[in-house]
């Protein structure tokens, strides 16, 4: 960046201007040698948005790199004098820059700031020299100056005049004074060692008060700017009588050092002058003849005693020194002047200030150590040790401060982060100076740790169990599985589904969001008692993580199956319209009480108490003649049969289970009271209604003959079997003891061991009748086998057998352990093997 100043050189002012020009030109040249230190120079009072320099180009950034590298200003003075162009990265003026307000008389006036280039992280130090322009005219503190001169004042006497002040520097500052022409007075301009110019009024000739009592002069102060600016003051000279001894100060220059923390009202110093005259000519009064406005507001001078007191706050950081001229005037009008230099001494009254710029917030939890989190800029307005600052992080945190430059630190990661343990950090940075006592300040950074998918879902239980009553509605809730994921956001959002395509998969479904498991169909305890499915939980991270849990569903039995009567079977009519055959039991009239008439056989497909059956006689022609066993279903005579009893008896028994509510079925049994079959045949041929047709009569006769033949053959077979039983079972029957059924043969399902068929019984079926189709079921694989003796045991009909009754005991309480099953075709239970006599 090339700067071409055009200031004119005039003597010493020209040399100062040349020095300023060199300072303005040198920084850009230095920038090329040291790319980390950039220097620019601009004139003051530039408008907002004016170009300071191509900062992005000077740090090596192209316009295409700007969005990625992110060039930013991270530190500077308290006011933001500069900003960055959003499109080109140029350094621009952000607000009005007044060199005199910022630096005062200090030259050169330099503003420093720091910029950060991210990706990769670099810090650049930028210095901007503010060049003076002639924007201030010289001005006097007093526009009207009154001077008293005794008429006896000899020619050649000099009277100091108020000095003009020009905030500009160099050639733009005060260069000369001019006085309106006068025969009695002339102007003498003197230059002090610090380069300041002072005007003195020189008396050229003797005064004559009688001729002219006062004189009016105009003093003009001009600067060296282009165009020239000036300021004026009117001087009024009053001529008084003679006073031959002027006051004399004890010091020509008073040098005072004051601490900046002195309270208001304190005595700062005292000036003292003496006068050899007597009377009123020796009475001296004091005043400030030349003092800046800032000093006038800070100090007050007692006109009688010369005491100077502090009337305003002292601040080393704002004003480091003051200058003033004190005038002592006696009663005769003679005066003397003394210079006062006041130096302000710094005390540690300013705490360090922290400026914190976050670079990475939130920070991913997998960030590597040494990753830059933020940039901290530290400043202390004090000087010396009072301005030396040390920064530290409060507490034991996985971060550290790395010093980047004199006033800049980088906050970096020191050890690994884990969001699941600590998701946020409140980082407090303390800056402490080296003053006595030390002052400190703190800055806090709320740092969030962002999540990465480093945790898989975890189920609350590895295996779930659910109990569902059968006959449930499709879509009914079974249970809810829940998995937790320590991650956050999508990484912790868990979804569910069934894992695998097992045989039980069609039974249930899983809602993806809630983990609720619903039944897909109605369950049937008689078909499937339990099943298991695997549920997978997966988060929404990339890559996704998952876990699996087992859900085991146990189907509970309900009393949804009524007892089914196997014997006596209900009669059914012939397809051709003929009458159906009805089973009859023949009971001799000589039967005593307890005679076994028949056994009602019923089964219940349910399990447990729902399959416990009880029997009750609900209808009989002779209510007191017969009874039925509560749990055995055996129909016996309750008393001896008498001749008065009707020959034909119709008994109706109800079979109930123990479910809630209980279900029942009825069985109808026809009994004929006769001593022999021949005696019973007429009763069997009779119809309760009108006379039978010839076809029905013929069928009854054939049936009776078949029953008689079957009875004879069965009697012979029973006699043979009775002998075989005493001698032990033959070899062919011993084979049945190991396994009486083939894998496909009939057997009793496991449910029937729960009290459905508690004991063996005698079964009588009409000749030619078969058990109804579908009354036999395939056996379960775990059905225990029965011995051949049990298969063939039983007592012949026609004799009382009280020992064959099951008795009043309850059925077995063990319903059998539930088994995991696969769906199979429905099958009905088969009748257990019992001794049967068919007529």
């Amino acid at each position: 960046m090339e700067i071409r100043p055009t200031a004119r050189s005039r003597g010493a002012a020209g040399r100062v201007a040349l020095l300023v020009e060199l300072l303005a030109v040198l920084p850009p040249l230095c920038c090329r040698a040291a790319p980390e230190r950039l220097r620019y120079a601009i004139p003051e009072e530039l408008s907002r948005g004016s170009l300071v320099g191509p900062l992005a180009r000077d740090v090596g950034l192209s316009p295409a790199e700007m969005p990625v590298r992110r060039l930013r200003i991270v530190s500077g003075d308290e006011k933001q004098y500069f900003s960055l162009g959003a499109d080109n990265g140029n350094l621009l003026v952000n607000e009005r820059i007044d060199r005199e307000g910022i630096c005062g008389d200090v030259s050169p006036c330099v503003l420093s700031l720091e910029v950060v280039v991210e990706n990769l992280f670099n810090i650049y130090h930028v210095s901007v020299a503010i060049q003076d322009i002639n924007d201030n005219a010289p001005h006097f503190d007093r526009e009207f100056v009154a001077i008293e001169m005794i008429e006896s004042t000899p020619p050649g006497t000099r009277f100091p005049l108020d000095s003009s002040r020009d905030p500009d520097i160099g050639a733009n500052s005060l260069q000369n004074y001019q006085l309106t022409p006068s025969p009695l007075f002339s102007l003498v301009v003197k230059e002090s060692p610090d380069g300041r110019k002072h005007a003195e009024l020189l008396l050229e000739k003797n005064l004559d008060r009688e001729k002219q009592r006062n004189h009016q002069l105009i003093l003009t102060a001009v600067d060296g700017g282009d165009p020239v600016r000036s300021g004026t003051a009117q001087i009024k000279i009053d001529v008084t009588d003679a006073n031959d001894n002027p006051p004399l100060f004890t010091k020509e220059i008073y040098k005072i050092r004051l601490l900046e923390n002195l309270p208001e009202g304190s005595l700062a110093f005292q000036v003292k002058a003496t006068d050899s005259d007597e009377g009123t000519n020796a009475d001296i009064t004091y005043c400030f003849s030349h003092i800046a406005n800032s000093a006038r507001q800070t100090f007050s001078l007692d006109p009688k005693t010369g005491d100077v007191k502090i009337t305003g706050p002292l601040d080393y950081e704002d004003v480091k020194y003051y200058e003033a001229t004190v005038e002592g005037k006696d009663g005769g009008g003679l005066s003397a002047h003394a210079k006062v230099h006041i130096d302000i001494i710094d005390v540690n009254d300013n705490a360090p200030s922290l400026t914190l710029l976050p670079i990475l917030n939130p920070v991913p939890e997998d960030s590597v150590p040494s990753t830059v989190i933020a940039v901290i800029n530290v400043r202390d307005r004090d000087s010396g040790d009072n301005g030396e600052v040390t920064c530290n992080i409060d507490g034991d945190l996985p971060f550290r401060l790395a010093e980047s430059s004199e006033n800049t630190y980088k906050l970096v990661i020191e050890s690994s982060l884990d969001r699941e343990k600590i998701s946020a950090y409140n980082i407090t940075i303390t800056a402490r100076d080296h003053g006595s006592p030390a002052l400190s300040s703190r800055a806090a950074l709320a740092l969030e740790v962002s999540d990465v998918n480093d945790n898989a879902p975890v189920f609350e239980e590895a295996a779930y169990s659910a109990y569902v009553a059968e006959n449930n509605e499709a879509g009914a809730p079974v249970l809810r599985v829940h998995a937790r994921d320590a991650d956050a956001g999508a990484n912790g959002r868990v979804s569910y589904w069934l894992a695998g395509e097992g045989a039980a998969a069609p039974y249930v479904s899983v809602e993806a969001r809630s983990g609720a498991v619903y039944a897909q169909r109605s369950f049937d305890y008689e078909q499937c008692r339990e099943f298991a499915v695997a549920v997978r939980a997966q988060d929404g991270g990339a890559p996704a993580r998952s876990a699996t849990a087992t859900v085991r569903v146990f189907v509970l039995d309900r009393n949804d199956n009524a007892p089914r009567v196997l014997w006596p079977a209900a009669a059914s009519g012939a397809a051709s319209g003929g009458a159906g055959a009805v089973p009859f039991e023949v009971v001799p009239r000589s039967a005593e009480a307890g005679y076994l008439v028949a056994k009602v056989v019923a089964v219940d497909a349910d399990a447990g108490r729902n399959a416990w059956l009880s029997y009750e006689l609900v209808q009989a022609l002779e209510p007191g003649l017969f009874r039925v066993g509560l749990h055995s279903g055996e129909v016996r005579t309750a008393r001896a049969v008498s001749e008065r009893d009707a020959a034909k008896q119709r008994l109706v028994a109800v079979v109930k289970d123990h479910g809630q509510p209980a279900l029942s079925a009825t069985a109808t049994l026809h009994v004929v009271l006769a001593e022999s079959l021949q005696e019973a045949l007429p009763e069997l041929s009779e119809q309760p209604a009108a006379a039978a047709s010839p076809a029905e009569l013929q069928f009854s006769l054939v049936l009776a003959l078949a029953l008689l033949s079957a009875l004879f053959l069965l009697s012979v077979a029973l006699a043979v079997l009775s002998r075989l039983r005493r001698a032990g079972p033959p070899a062919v029957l011993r084979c049945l003891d190991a396994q009486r059924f083939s894998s496909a043969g009939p057997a009793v399902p496991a449910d029937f061991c729960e009290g459905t068929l508690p004991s063996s019984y005698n079964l009588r079926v009409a000749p030619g009748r078969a058990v109804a189709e579908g009354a036999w079921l395939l056996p379960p694989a775990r059905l225990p086998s029965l011995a051949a003796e049990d298969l063939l045991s039983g007592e012949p009909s026609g004799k009382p057998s009280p020992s064959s009754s099951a008795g009043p005991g309850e059925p077995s309480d063990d319903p059998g352990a539930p088994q995991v099953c696969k769906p199979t075709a429905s099958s009905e239970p088969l009748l257990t093997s019992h001794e049967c006599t068919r007529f």
Side-chain angles (χ1 to χ4, degrees):
M1 180 177 181
E2 186 175 1
I3 306 299
R4 298 180 180 274
T6 59
R8 299 176 181 177
S9 300
R10 297 180 181 177
R15 290 192 297 271
V16 174
L18 180 59
L19 179 61
V20 173
E21 293 176 4
L22 291 175
L23 291 174
V25 174
L26 285 178
L29 298 177
C30 297
C31 291
R32 301 187 183 93
E36 299 266 336
R37 173 71 69 173
L38 302 176
R39 294 183 173 87
Y40 302 99
I42 59 171
E44 62 174 329
E45 303 293 346
L46 286 179
S47 61
R48 181 185 177 91
S50 299
L51 175 65
V52 177
L55 181 60
R57 187 191 68 187
D58 291 346
V59 300
L61 293 181
S62 64
E65 294 177 308
M66 288 290 294
V68 178
R69 299 295 297 277
R70 297 183 64 189
L71 181 66
R72 289 191 289 171
I73 298 175
V74 299
S75 67
D77 293 330
E78 288 76 4
K79 292 185 178 180
Q80 296 295 327
Y81 290 108
F82 304 101
S83 63
L84 289 175
D87 53 347
N88 52 21
N90 289 339
L91 187 63
L92 306 176
V93 175
N94 189 49
E95 63 177 68
R96 174 178 175 267
I97 299 176
D98 183 10
R99 192 205 66 80
E100 291 76 27
I102 297 173
C103 299
D105 294 338
V106 177
S107 179
C109 180
V110 179
L111 296 179
S112 299
L113 64 147
E114 294 172 349
V115 294
V116 169
V117 179
E118 300 181 17
N119 303 321
L120 300 168
F121 186 82
N122 287 318
I123 297 179
Y124 294 88
H125 304 277
V126 179
S127 299
V128 181
I130 309 302
Q131 298 174 339
D132 181 54
I133 63 173
N134 192 25
D135 57 341
N136 292 282
H139 69 280
F140 293 92
D141 292 337
R142 293 184 295 176
E143 295 183 359
F144 299 93
V145 179
I147 302 176
E148 291 184 356
M149 294 184 184
I150 193 169
E151 62 179 339
S152 60
T153 302
T157 303
R158 297 184 178 188
F159 298 88
L161 300 176
D162 288 353
S163 297
S164 174
R165 301 181 61 82
D166 192 333
D168 295 326
I169 60 173
N172 296 325
S173 65
L174 177 65
Q175 298 296 320
N176 201 0
Y177 291 95
Q178 297 174 359
L179 187 66
T180 54
S182 173
L184 298 179
F185 302 97
S186 64
L187 189 65
V188 177
V189 178
K190 299 178 67 177
E191 185 174 352
S192 62
D194 59 0
R196 296 178 182 271
K197 292 180 173 60
H198 305 281
E200 293 181 352
L201 185 63
L202 178 63
L203 180 61
E204 296 286 349
K205 298 179 181 179
N206 292 323
L207 297 174
D208 189 351
R209 180 175 178 275
E210 288 70 27
K211 289 183 178 181
Q212 188 174 355
R213 303 185 62 175
N214 54 64
H215 303 270
Q216 300 287 340
L217 302 174
I218 295 177
L219 178 64
T220 302
V222 295
D223 60 22
D226 186 10
V228 176
R229 293 177 179 268
S230 61
T232 60
Q234 294 184 7
I235 302 174
K236 180 181 179 182
I237 303 173
D238 293 326
V239 181
T240 62
D241 287 335
N243 180 23
D244 54 353
N245 291 296
L248 181 64
F249 279 95
T250 57
K251 295 180 181 179
E252 291 185 3
I253 299 177
Y254 289 87
K255 294 184 178 180
I256 309 298
R257 293 169 58 86
L258 300 177
L259 295 175
E260 64 172 328
N261 60 351
L262 286 176
E264 296 184 14
S266 301
L267 177 63
F269 59 94
Q270 183 185 42
V271 294
K272 188 67 174 177
T274 59
D275 194 316
S276 301
D277 294 325
E278 295 179 355
T280 58
N281 292 329
D283 293 336
I284 302 175
T285 58
Y286 304 93
C287 66
F288 288 119
S289 62
H290 173 66
I291 187 171
N293 289 332
S294 58
R296 190 181 299 277
Q297 296 173 0
T298 307
F299 301 98
S300 65
L301 176 61
D302 190 313
K304 297 297 183 181
T305 62
D307 292 340
V308 179
K309 293 185 178 181
I310 299 173
T311 58
L314 300 179
D315 193 345
Y316 173 85
E317 289 72 34
D318 290 340
V319 181
K320 296 178 174 56
Y321 67 91
Y322 296 91
E323 287 186 350
T325 301
V326 177
E327 179 185 63
K329 182 182 294 186
D330 60 19
L334 297 180
S335 63
H337 298 82
K339 294 284 187 180
V340 176
H341 292 274
I342 304 173
D343 292 324
I344 307 301
I345 301 173
D346 182 46
V347 296
N348 192 27
D349 59 343
N350 291 281
S353 62
L354 291 173
T355 302
L356 194 149
L357 175 67
I359 300 297
L360 191 61
N361 191 5
V363 55
E365 62 177 322
D366 60 349
S367 298
V368 298
S370 300
T371 300
V372 178
I373 302 300
V375 175
I376 299 97
N377 183 264
V378 185
R379 292 186 180 276
D380 194 318
R381 298 181 64 193
D382 295 323
S383 59
D385 291 341
N386 297 331
E388 294 291 331
V389 180
T390 302
C391 288
N392 294 293
I393 298 177
D394 295 352
D396 185 14
L397 300 177
F399 306 98
R400 63 180 176 86
L401 289 175
E403 189 171 359
S404 175
S405 63
E406 181 180 359
N407 297 317
T408 306
Y409 294 84
K410 293 184 292 186
L411 178 63
V412 299
I413 297 176
E414 186 174 28
S415 58
S416 59
L417 307 177
D418 189 351
R419 191 204 66 83
E420 288 69 40
K421 293 182 179 178
I422 303 178
S423 60
Y425 293 91
N426 289 322
I427 304 173
T428 301
I429 300 170
T430 301
R432 190 181 306 275
D433 60 27
H434 297 173
S436 180
L439 299 179
S440 63
S441 60
R442 289 178 172 84
L445 172 64
L447 180 65
E448 299 289 337
V449 181
S450 60
D451 183 57
V452 296
N453 193 25
D454 56 347
N455 291 279
V458 178
F459 279 96
E460 292 179 345
E461 301 178 28
Y464 292 83
S465 296
Y467 298 87
V468 182
E470 65 174 332
N471 301 329
N472 59 289
E473 295 182 358
V478 176
L479 83 162
R480 186 187 300 271
V481 297
H482 188 263
R484 298 183 181 274
D485 195 315
D487 295 321
N491 298 329
R493 189 178 301 116
V494 180
S495 56
Y496 307 86
W497 68 84
L498 294 180
E501 297 293 336
Y507 281 78
V508 294
S509 64
V510 179
E511 187 176 359
R513 289 191 176 274
S514 66
V517 180
Y518 296 96
Q520 287 287 88
R521 60 178 65 179
S522 179
F523 300 152
D524 190 349
Y525 176 84
E526 288 71 38
Q527 291 185 2
C528 184
R529 298 190 178 186
E530 70 174 84
F531 59 89
V533 294
V535 178
R536 182 184 301 274
Q538 179 173 301
D539 59 29
R545 295 177 179 266
S546 62
T548 304
T550 300
V551 177
R552 188 173 297 277
V553 180
F554 297 91
V555 182
L556 304 179
D557 183 49
R558 278 183 173 174
N559 192 26
D560 58 343
N561 292 282
R564 188 165 184 268
V565 178
L566 300 181
W567 196 91
S572 59
S576 60
V582 179
F584 284 84
E585 291 290 340
V586 179
V587 177
R589 287 188 175 274
S590 59
E592 300 293 333
Y595 179 84
L596 179 62
V597 178
K599 185 179 181 72
V600 179
V601 181
V603 295
D604 195 317
D606 293 322
R609 296 184 61 87
N610 296 330
W612 293 357
L613 302 181
S614 60
Y615 303 84
E616 182 182 354
L617 194 62
V618 296
Q619 184 178 349
L621 187 61
E622 298 288 343
L625 180 57
F626 300 98
R627 63 179 173 85
V628 63
L630 179 63
H631 300 295
S632 64
E634 294 178 346
V635 180
R636 296 178 181 271
T637 56
R639 59 175 174 81
V641 179
S642 66
E643 293 298 332
R644 295 190 306 272
D645 295 328
K648 291 182 63 175
Q649 299 283 336
R650 181 176 179 271
L651 308 179
V652 179
V654 63
V655 184
K656 294 182 180 180
D657 57 26
H658 284 66
Q660 292 294 333
L663 301 178
S664 63
T666 59
T668 303
L669 180 66
H670 296 273
V671 180
V672 176
L673 301 179
E675 289 296 337
S676 64
L677 181 61
Q678 289 79 4
E679 185 181 347
L681 287 177
E683 300 293 339
L684 294 175
S685 62
E686 293 180 1
Q687 296 296 328
S693 65
E696 293 177 347
L697 180 60
Q698 183 182 1
F699 177 78
S700 298
L701 292 176
V702 173
L703 177 61
L705 182 60
L707 288 174
L708 185 61
S709 301
L711 180 60
F712 174 74
L713 293 176
L714 184 58
S715 299
V716 174
L718 290 175
V720 174
L721 288 175
S722 178
R723 286 183 173 275
L724 291 176
R725 181 180 179 185
R726 295 188 186 95
V732 66
L733 293 179
R734 293 192 188 101
C735 299
L736 299 176
D737 188 39
Q739 183 174 350
R740 70 178 188 273
F741 301 119
S742 66
S743 60
V748 179
D751 291 345
F752 293 171
C753 68
E754 301 173 358
T756 303
L757 300 176
S759 63
S760 64
Y761 53 87
N762 295 326
L763 175 64
R764 294 172 175 82
V765 182
R769 295 290 292 174
V771 178
E773 184 179 355
W776 311 96
L777 294 177
L778 294 178
R782 297 189 294 175
L783 179 68
S785 61
L786 300 177
E789 292 84 355
D790 297 332
L791 179 66
L792 299 176
S793 64
E795 296 185 4
S797 175
K799 295 182 180 180
S801 55
S803 62
S804 64
S805 175
E810 292 292 335
S812 172
D813 292 333
D814 183 12
Q819 63 189 63
V820 178
C821 58
K822 297 182 180 179
T824 59
S826 173
S827 59
E828 297 183 358
L830 292 181
L831 178 63
T832 55
S833 175
H834 296 277
E835 182 182 10
C836 302
T837 303
R838 301 177 184 273
F839 292 98

